[in-house]
C-alpha cells in the first residue's frame, strides 16, 4: 500500500460511527482546526472524516479546498495521529474559521498543535 494513501477503509462513512462519535466524542481545537474523536473496539485502524461548514463557505469550491487540505494533512501525518490517539479511533476534522485556509502549511501547523 502507498505510504500516504487514504483508502476507503480509513474513511468515516457509516451512520453508526457518526452517531457514536458525536455522542461520546471529545472535542479539541487548535487554531482553525477542530477534532472530535473517540475510541471504539470495533475499529482496527483509525477512521477519519473531514468537513467544512456550508454556513461558513457558501461556495462548494471553497468547502472542497478546505476539505482537501485537511485530508492531505491527515494523510501526511497519519502515523503521528495513530501514535497519539491509538489505532481504534473514530475521528472527524473540521475547518472552523470563516476564512479560507491560505495554504497547506497553515493547516498543517494547526493540525500538529492538536497532536
Amino acid at each position: 500500500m502507498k505510504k500516504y494513501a487514504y483508502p476507503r477503509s480509513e474513511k468515516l462513512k457509516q451512520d453508526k460511527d457518526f452517531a457514536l462519535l458525536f455522542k461520546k466524542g471529545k472535542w479539541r481545537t487548535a487554531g482553525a482546526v477542530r477534532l472530535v474523536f473517540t475510541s471504539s473496539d470495533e475499529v482496527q485502524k483509525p477512521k477519519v472524516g473531514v468537513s467544512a461548514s456550508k454556513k461558513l463557505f457558501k461556495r462548494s469550491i471553497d468547502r472542497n479546498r478546505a476539505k482537501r487540505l485537511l485530508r492531505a494533512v491527515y494523510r501526511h501525518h497519519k502515523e503521528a495521529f495513530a501514535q497519539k490517539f491509538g489505532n481504534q479511533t473514530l475521528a472527524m476534522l473540521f475547518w472552523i474559521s470563516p476564512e479560507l485556509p491560505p495554504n497547506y502549511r497553515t493547516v498543517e501547523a494547526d493540525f500538529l498543535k492538536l497532536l
Side-chain angles (χ1 to χ4, degrees):
M1 176 154 305
K2 295 178 184 177
K3 183 177 179 181
Y4 297 119
Y6 183 45
R8 185 177 176 94
S9 62
E10 291 182 14
K11 294 180 183 176
L12 190 64
K13 294 272 188 190
Q14 296 181 341
D15 287 339
K16 66 176 185 154
D17 291 340
F18 280 107
L20 177 67
L21 179 64
F22 289 110
K23 183 177 181 183
K24 296 186 178 182
K26 298 175 186 165
W27 298 73
R28 287 193 183 164
T29 304
V33 177
R34 179 169 289 158
L35 173 72
V36 182
F37 66 96
T38 190
S39 181
S40 175
D41 294 335
E42 299 174 7
V43 179
Q44 274 58 22
K45 52 182 153 180
K47 286 190 171 189
V48 178
V50 296
S51 179
S53 173
K54 190 172 183 179
K55 188 182 286 187
L56 297 176
F57 301 111
K58 300 297 182 195
R59 297 178 359 170
S60 63
I61 189 170
D62 296 335
R63 288 192 304 276
N64 292 340
R65 176 168 171 72
K67 292 188 295 186
R68 185 172 57 247
L69 290 172
L70 286 171
R71 278 192 298 269
V73 167
Y74 169 72
R75 286 187 307 109
H76 288 113
H77 298 287
K78 69 177 162 183
E79 292 165 356
F81 182 87
Q83 287 177 351
K84 174 69 175 173
F85 297 106
N87 282 329
Q88 296 182 323
T89 303
L90 299 174
M92 189 82 178
L93 291 167
F94 297 94
W95 184 259
I96 59 170
S97 172
E99 297 169 7
L100 194 62
N103 56 29
Y104 173 83
R105 297 287 177 210
T106 306
V107 179
E108 183 180 38
D110 289 345
F111 182 78
L112 292 175
K113 286 179 193 175
L114 287 173
L115 303 182

